[in-house]
Amino acid sequence: MSETLTHGEWNRAVQEGELLGQHCEECDHTQGTPKAACPYCGSTDLETVELPTEGEVYTETTINVPPEGIDERGYQVAVVQVGDARVMGRLVDQEIDIGDRVVLSGFDEDDQGNATPRFEAQ
Amino acid sequence: MARAAVVGADMTEFGVHDRSLQELFGEAALGAFADAGVEPSAVDAFYFGNAMGGQTENDTHLGPKLASHVGIAGVPVQRFEDACATSANAFKNAVEAVEAGIHDVVLVGGVERCTPETGKDTAEMTRIFASASHRQYEQPTGLTFPGVFALFTKRHMHEYGTTEEQLAEVAVKNHGNGALNPNAHFGKETTVEEALEGPVVADPFRLMDCCPFSDGASAVVVVSDDAADSYDEPVDVGGVGHATDVVPICDKETPHVTQAARDAASQAYDQAGTSADEMDFAEVHDCFTGAEILASEAIGFVEDGQGGAAAEEGVTARDGERPINPSGGLKAKGHPIGATGTGQIVELAEHLRGDAGERQIEGAERAVAHNLGGDAATTVVTVMEARE
Ligand SMILES: [Zn+2]
C-alpha cells in the first residue's frame, strides 16, 4: 500500500501556499481532499499530487447569514476547479462568477486551526 | 408484492412548540396507534429518528425515554441519526425488519425541536445544522446549509439557465399548498414579487427560498404485507431505496445532479416494479427552493434541466401533470429535522387513503417520497401504493 495523505499534511500545505490532492492509480480519478481509499473505485493505490494553484470557479455563493463563530457577513464560498480536481475555499474579491479564473492567494482558518484555501481573481 | 404496509400514521403540527421532546413525540405516536387501531402492547419494536437532540437540548439517549413515554418500554429500540434523512432511514430499517420476519408491528417515527424554544438562536442553530457538512474540508470556509444548496443551485442555473423567478415559483407553489394543510408551519400564501424582495441568505436564496426552523414529530405503524389485511386502510410500501454520494462537495463528480437521489429513486422504483411515470405525486426534500428543482429531476418527474421551467409552468402544481409537495413541502409544511422523513410518509398515506382534505391529489394511487440528508450525501426514496 502506498502513502496516504493526511488532513494535517493537506492543512499545512494550504498554509504554505500549496494544494495537495490524490490521484488514483487504478481509475485515474483525482480528488481535492485526502481519503484512505479512492471514493470512486475503492483502490488504496493513491498517489499524493500537487494540484495547480490556479483554476476556474465551478460554483460559488455569498453567505449573508453566518454560523455562530463567524462575525463577518457577505463572504464568498466557492468550489474551484484546479486541474483535474476541485477544492472548496473562500474568494477574497466579491462578485467573482462561475467560470472566472482565480489564483490561490492565502488561506483562512477556523478556531481549531483547520485551514481553507483563499482564492482571488487572476 | 408489497415489502410492508403502513397501517397507522400521524404527526403533530410542524411549527413552534414549547413542549418537551417526549410530549411532542407522544402526540404523534399515540395518534398513529389510534389510527392503526393497535394498543401499545402490540408493538414489538421501535425505530426512531432524532438528529440533533444532543447538540440542541443536551438529550442523547432518547430511544428508551420515548418508548417509556408511549407505553412500549421493553421493546428493542434503535435510534437513527442521519442528518435530515434521519427518520426516512429509520423507516427503511423498519420495513426491512418487518419484511425479514424479525418484527410484526413496528412503531417508526421522529422528533426534533429547532426553533428558539430550544434556547438556541439563529447563529447557533446555523452552526449546528452546518455540522452535517464536512468538518475539515467544508466547515472551515464558513459554509452553511443554505450555502450548500446554493452551490448546487448556482451550477444548475449556470448550466440550464434556471432563474431566480423560477426558484420563487417553487416557494409560491409550496406556500399555496401549505395554506391548505392544517399541520403546516406556514399557512399563508406568498407571491413571486414578495419572494424576490426578501433578504438574501446565501445567493441565489432569499429568505423565502429557505425552509423554516421547525419543531415537530411524526410517526407511523409498519406491519408485514401478510398482516396488513387485518387492519383498516393499509397503504403498501412498494420499495425503499437508499444511497449515499461522495463527501465533501468538491469531490462529487457532478454536484447538482444529486447522484444519491438518482440511485435511491431507481432502487425504489425497481423494488416496486414501477417507474416515475406511474407516480401520481411526490413529496420531495425542498429544504431550499433549488433543492426541489434538483429533486424533481433526480426522481424522474421532469427532464434534467427542466426543473425550474416545470415549476414556472405549473407542471409540479397540485393540479399540474406532475404534482410535487402537496403538503407544502419542507418550505411551508416545515422541517423539524428528525421528523421530516416519516412526516413525508404520513402525507403519502393520507393522499393514498383519500384523506388529505382540501389538498388531496384526486384519485392518487401511487406516490414517492424523497428525503435527503447532509450535503446531498444521503438520500432515501420510498414508493407507496394504495392497497387494492
Ligand atoms: Zn479510483
Side-chain angles (χ1 to χ4, degrees), chain B residues 199-233:
Chain B
V200 176
V201 174
D203 78 305
F205 298 146
R206 294 171 183 276
L207 189 61
M208 290 299 284
D209 290 294
C210 307
C211 67
F213 294 160
S214 312
D215 308 326
S218 59
V220 296
V221 175
V222 175
V223 303
S224 68
D225 182 43
D226 285 344
D229 279 329
S230 55
Y231 295 86
D232 289 338
E233 293 194 285

Short mmCIF file of all heavy atoms in Angstrom, two decimals, chain B residues 199-233:
data_model
loop_
_atom_site.label_atom_id
_atom_site.label_comp_id
_atom_site.label_asym_id
_atom_site.label_seq_id
_atom_site.Cartn_x
_atom_site.Cartn_y
_atom_site.Cartn_z
N PRO B 199 -34.67 39.36 2.01
CA PRO B 199 -33.22 39.50 2.17
C PRO B 199 -32.49 38.23 1.69
O PRO B 199 -33.02 37.12 1.84
CB PRO B 199 -33.05 39.69 3.68
CG PRO B 199 -34.28 39.13 4.29
CD PRO B 199 -35.39 39.29 3.29
N VAL B 200 -31.29 38.43 1.13
CA VAL B 200 -30.51 37.30 0.64
C VAL B 200 -29.87 36.57 1.82
O VAL B 200 -29.23 37.17 2.67
CB VAL B 200 -29.42 37.78 -0.35
CG1 VAL B 200 -28.55 36.60 -0.79
CG2 VAL B 200 -30.06 38.46 -1.55
N VAL B 201 -30.06 35.24 1.85
CA VAL B 201 -29.46 34.41 2.89
C VAL B 201 -28.12 33.87 2.40
O VAL B 201 -27.09 34.00 3.07
CB VAL B 201 -30.41 33.26 3.29
CG1 VAL B 201 -29.74 32.30 4.26
CG2 VAL B 201 -31.70 33.83 3.91
N ALA B 202 -28.14 33.25 1.23
CA ALA B 202 -26.94 32.79 0.52
C ALA B 202 -27.36 32.78 -0.94
O ALA B 202 -28.23 31.99 -1.31
CB ALA B 202 -26.52 31.40 0.98
N ASP B 203 -26.79 33.66 -1.74
CA ASP B 203 -27.34 33.83 -3.09
C ASP B 203 -27.24 32.53 -3.88
O ASP B 203 -26.26 31.81 -3.72
CB ASP B 203 -26.64 34.99 -3.83
CG ASP B 203 -25.26 34.56 -4.36
OD1 ASP B 203 -24.43 34.09 -3.55
OD2 ASP B 203 -25.04 34.68 -5.57
N PRO B 204 -28.23 32.14 -4.63
CA PRO B 204 -29.41 32.90 -5.05
C PRO B 204 -30.59 32.83 -4.07
O PRO B 204 -31.67 33.29 -4.42
CB PRO B 204 -29.80 32.18 -6.34
CG PRO B 204 -29.48 30.74 -6.05
CD PRO B 204 -28.22 30.79 -5.23
N PHE B 205 -30.38 32.28 -2.88
CA PHE B 205 -31.53 32.08 -1.99
C PHE B 205 -31.81 33.30 -1.12
O PHE B 205 -30.96 33.77 -0.38
CB PHE B 205 -31.30 30.88 -1.07
CG PHE B 205 -31.15 29.57 -1.79
CD1 PHE B 205 -30.30 28.58 -1.29
CD2 PHE B 205 -31.84 29.31 -2.97
CE1 PHE B 205 -30.16 27.37 -1.95
CE2 PHE B 205 -31.70 28.10 -3.64
CZ PHE B 205 -30.85 27.13 -3.13
N ARG B 206 -33.06 33.75 -1.20
CA ARG B 206 -33.56 34.76 -0.29
C ARG B 206 -34.33 34.05 0.81
O ARG B 206 -34.49 32.83 0.78
CB ARG B 206 -34.47 35.73 -1.06
CG ARG B 206 -33.71 36.53 -2.10
CD ARG B 206 -34.61 37.33 -3.02
NE ARG B 206 -33.79 38.01 -4.02
CZ ARG B 206 -33.18 39.18 -3.82
NH1 ARG B 206 -33.33 39.82 -2.68
NH2 ARG B 206 -32.43 39.71 -4.77
N LEU B 207 -34.80 34.83 1.77
CA LEU B 207 -35.48 34.24 2.92
C LEU B 207 -36.57 33.25 2.50
O LEU B 207 -36.70 32.16 3.06
CB LEU B 207 -36.07 35.35 3.80
CG LEU B 207 -36.63 34.89 5.13
CD1 LEU B 207 -35.55 34.24 6.00
CD2 LEU B 207 -37.25 36.08 5.87
N MET B 208 -37.36 33.64 1.49
CA MET B 208 -38.49 32.79 1.08
C MET B 208 -38.07 31.55 0.29
O MET B 208 -38.90 30.71 -0.02
CB MET B 208 -39.51 33.60 0.27
CG MET B 208 -40.26 34.61 1.12
SD MET B 208 -41.20 33.81 2.44
CE MET B 208 -42.56 33.17 1.49
N ASP B 209 -36.79 31.45 -0.05
CA ASP B 209 -36.29 30.22 -0.69
C ASP B 209 -35.92 29.17 0.35
O ASP B 209 -35.59 28.04 -0.02
CB ASP B 209 -35.04 30.53 -1.53
CG ASP B 209 -35.37 31.34 -2.76
OD1 ASP B 209 -36.07 30.81 -3.64
OD2 ASP B 209 -34.94 32.51 -2.83
N CYS B 210 -35.92 29.54 1.62
CA CYS B 210 -35.42 28.67 2.68
C CYS B 210 -36.56 28.13 3.54
O CYS B 210 -37.49 28.86 3.87
CB CYS B 210 -34.46 29.44 3.58
SG CYS B 210 -33.12 30.25 2.68
N CYS B 211 -36.45 26.85 3.95
CA CYS B 211 -37.43 26.30 4.87
C CYS B 211 -37.20 26.88 6.26
O CYS B 211 -36.12 27.37 6.56
CB CYS B 211 -37.33 24.78 4.90
SG CYS B 211 -35.80 24.16 5.63
N PRO B 212 -38.23 26.85 7.11
CA PRO B 212 -38.07 27.39 8.46
C PRO B 212 -37.39 26.39 9.40
O PRO B 212 -37.31 25.21 9.11
CB PRO B 212 -39.52 27.62 8.88
CG PRO B 212 -40.28 26.56 8.17
CD PRO B 212 -39.59 26.35 6.85
N PHE B 213 -36.92 26.88 10.53
CA PHE B 213 -36.55 26.03 11.66
C PHE B 213 -37.87 25.65 12.33
O PHE B 213 -38.60 26.53 12.79
CB PHE B 213 -35.71 26.80 12.69
CG PHE B 213 -34.34 27.25 12.22
CD1 PHE B 213 -33.68 28.26 12.88
CD2 PHE B 213 -33.72 26.65 11.15
CE1 PHE B 213 -32.41 28.68 12.48
CE2 PHE B 213 -32.46 27.06 10.73
CZ PHE B 213 -31.79 28.09 11.40
N SER B 214 -38.19 24.37 12.41
CA SER B 214 -39.47 23.94 12.98
C SER B 214 -39.27 22.94 14.11
O SER B 214 -38.26 22.25 14.16
CB SER B 214 -40.34 23.26 11.91
OG SER B 214 -40.39 24.00 10.73
N ASP B 215 -40.28 22.84 14.96
CA ASP B 215 -40.38 21.77 15.94
C ASP B 215 -41.51 20.84 15.46
O ASP B 215 -42.47 21.31 14.86
CB ASP B 215 -40.78 22.31 17.31
CG ASP B 215 -39.89 23.45 17.79
OD1 ASP B 215 -38.68 23.42 17.47
OD2 ASP B 215 -40.41 24.36 18.47
N GLY B 216 -41.40 19.55 15.79
CA GLY B 216 -42.49 18.67 15.43
C GLY B 216 -42.13 17.20 15.56
O GLY B 216 -40.97 16.85 15.82
N ALA B 217 -43.15 16.37 15.41
CA ALA B 217 -42.97 14.92 15.48
C ALA B 217 -43.89 14.25 14.48
O ALA B 217 -44.93 14.81 14.10
CB ALA B 217 -43.27 14.42 16.89
N SER B 218 -43.48 13.06 14.03
CA SER B 218 -44.32 12.27 13.13
C SER B 218 -44.11 10.81 13.46
O SER B 218 -43.04 10.44 13.97
CB SER B 218 -43.95 12.55 11.67
OG SER B 218 -42.59 12.23 11.45
N ALA B 219 -45.11 9.98 13.17
CA ALA B 219 -44.98 8.55 13.49
C ALA B 219 -45.88 7.72 12.59
O ALA B 219 -46.96 8.18 12.18
CB ALA B 219 -45.33 8.30 14.96
N VAL B 220 -45.42 6.52 12.28
CA VAL B 220 -46.24 5.57 11.52
C VAL B 220 -46.11 4.19 12.16
O VAL B 220 -45.13 3.90 12.84
CB VAL B 220 -45.82 5.50 10.02
CG1 VAL B 220 -46.07 6.83 9.33
CG2 VAL B 220 -44.38 5.07 9.85
N VAL B 221 -47.12 3.36 11.92
CA VAL B 221 -47.07 1.97 12.35
C VAL B 221 -46.89 1.11 11.10
O VAL B 221 -47.67 1.22 10.15
CB VAL B 221 -48.36 1.56 13.11
CG1 VAL B 221 -48.33 0.06 13.44
CG2 VAL B 221 -48.53 2.40 14.37
N VAL B 222 -45.82 0.30 11.11
CA VAL B 222 -45.48 -0.53 9.95
C VAL B 222 -45.70 -2.00 10.31
O VAL B 222 -45.28 -2.45 11.38
CB VAL B 222 -43.99 -0.32 9.56
CG1 VAL B 222 -43.57 -1.26 8.44
CG2 VAL B 222 -43.75 1.14 9.15
N VAL B 223 -46.41 -2.71 9.42
CA VAL B 223 -46.61 -4.16 9.64
C VAL B 223 -46.25 -4.92 8.36
O VAL B 223 -46.05 -4.32 7.30
CB VAL B 223 -48.08 -4.49 10.03
CG1 VAL B 223 -48.50 -3.71 11.28
CG2 VAL B 223 -49.04 -4.19 8.88
N SER B 224 -46.18 -6.24 8.47
CA SER B 224 -45.81 -7.06 7.31
C SER B 224 -46.94 -7.05 6.28
O SER B 224 -48.10 -6.76 6.59
CB SER B 224 -45.53 -8.49 7.76
OG SER B 224 -46.74 -9.09 8.19
N ASP B 225 -46.58 -7.38 5.08
CA ASP B 225 -47.53 -7.46 3.97
C ASP B 225 -48.69 -8.41 4.33
O ASP B 225 -49.87 -8.08 4.13
CB ASP B 225 -46.78 -7.95 2.73
CG ASP B 225 -47.67 -8.03 1.51
OD1 ASP B 225 -48.47 -7.11 1.30
OD2 ASP B 225 -47.56 -9.03 0.79
N ASP B 226 -48.35 -9.56 4.90
CA ASP B 226 -49.38 -10.56 5.26
C ASP B 226 -50.34 -10.03 6.31
O ASP B 226 -51.54 -10.26 6.24
CB ASP B 226 -48.71 -11.83 5.82
CG ASP B 226 -48.07 -12.64 4.71
OD1 ASP B 226 -48.41 -12.38 3.53
OD2 ASP B 226 -47.23 -13.50 5.03
N ALA B 227 -49.77 -9.37 7.30
CA ALA B 227 -50.59 -8.90 8.43
C ALA B 227 -51.48 -7.73 8.04
O ALA B 227 -52.48 -7.45 8.70
CB ALA B 227 -49.70 -8.52 9.61
N ALA B 228 -51.11 -7.03 6.96
CA ALA B 228 -51.75 -5.75 6.64
C ALA B 228 -53.25 -5.85 6.45
O ALA B 228 -54.00 -4.94 6.82
CB ALA B 228 -51.09 -5.14 5.41
N ASP B 229 -53.73 -6.97 5.90
CA ASP B 229 -55.15 -7.09 5.58
C ASP B 229 -56.04 -7.08 6.82
O ASP B 229 -57.24 -6.84 6.71
CB ASP B 229 -55.41 -8.37 4.77
CG ASP B 229 -55.07 -8.14 3.30
OD1 ASP B 229 -55.24 -6.98 2.84
OD2 ASP B 229 -54.63 -9.08 2.64
N SER B 230 -55.44 -7.36 7.98
CA SER B 230 -56.28 -7.36 9.18
C SER B 230 -56.41 -5.95 9.78
O SER B 230 -56.98 -5.78 10.86
CB SER B 230 -55.74 -8.35 10.22
OG SER B 230 -54.40 -8.08 10.49
N TYR B 231 -55.89 -4.95 9.09
CA TYR B 231 -56.06 -3.55 9.54
C TYR B 231 -56.91 -2.79 8.53
O TYR B 231 -57.00 -3.17 7.36
CB TYR B 231 -54.68 -2.86 9.65
CG TYR B 231 -53.79 -3.46 10.71
CD1 TYR B 231 -52.98 -4.56 10.42
CD2 TYR B 231 -53.76 -2.93 12.00
CE1 TYR B 231 -52.17 -5.11 11.38
CE2 TYR B 231 -52.94 -3.47 12.97
CZ TYR B 231 -52.14 -4.57 12.66
OH TYR B 231 -51.34 -5.12 13.61
N ASP B 232 -57.51 -1.70 9.01
CA ASP B 232 -58.27 -0.83 8.11
C ASP B 232 -57.31 -0.01 7.26
O ASP B 232 -56.34 0.53 7.78
CB ASP B 232 -59.13 0.15 8.92
CG ASP B 232 -60.28 -0.56 9.60
OD1 ASP B 232 -60.65 -1.66 9.13
OD2 ASP B 232 -60.79 -0.02 10.60
N GLU B 233 -57.61 0.10 5.99
CA GLU B 233 -56.90 1.01 5.09
C GLU B 233 -55.37 0.94 5.13
O GLU B 233 -54.69 1.95 5.34
CB GLU B 233 -57.29 2.47 5.41
CG GLU B 233 -58.73 2.79 5.09
CD GLU B 233 -58.94 4.29 5.10
OE1 GLU B 233 -58.99 4.89 6.20
OE2 GLU B 233 -59.03 4.87 4.00
#
